Amino acid sequence: MKTHQQLISAAALVLSLFAMGAQAQNTAQDSAAVRFPELKSTYLKTGDFVN
């Protein structure tokens, strides 16, 4: 019985690590894309705007 619990715990640990790795990969891809608004659509009329 104890070995079954250890096996289930190990499997749950591995699955949770895979899930966290996939989530971290998605977050890194989302943050890599930087988007700037069009100059005409901003409420700020002054400042430096990156092309």
Side-chain angles (χ1 to χ4, degrees), residues 1-48:
M1 182 75 173
K2 188 174 183 178
T3 58
H4 291 299
Q5 289 176 341
Q6 288 176 341
L7 182 62
I8 291 172
S9 295
L13 175 67
V14 169
L15 289 175
S16 64
L17 288 174
F18 278 123
M20 286 189 296
Q23 180 63 32
Q25 214 172 28
N26 288 340
T27 304
Q29 288 174 355
D30 291 342
S31 65
V34 177
R35 296 180 202 110
F36 292 98
E38 293 292 325
L39 182 57
K40 62 184 175 185
S41 68
T42 63
Y43 66 93
L44 299 172
K45 300 302 179 195
T46 60
D48 295 330

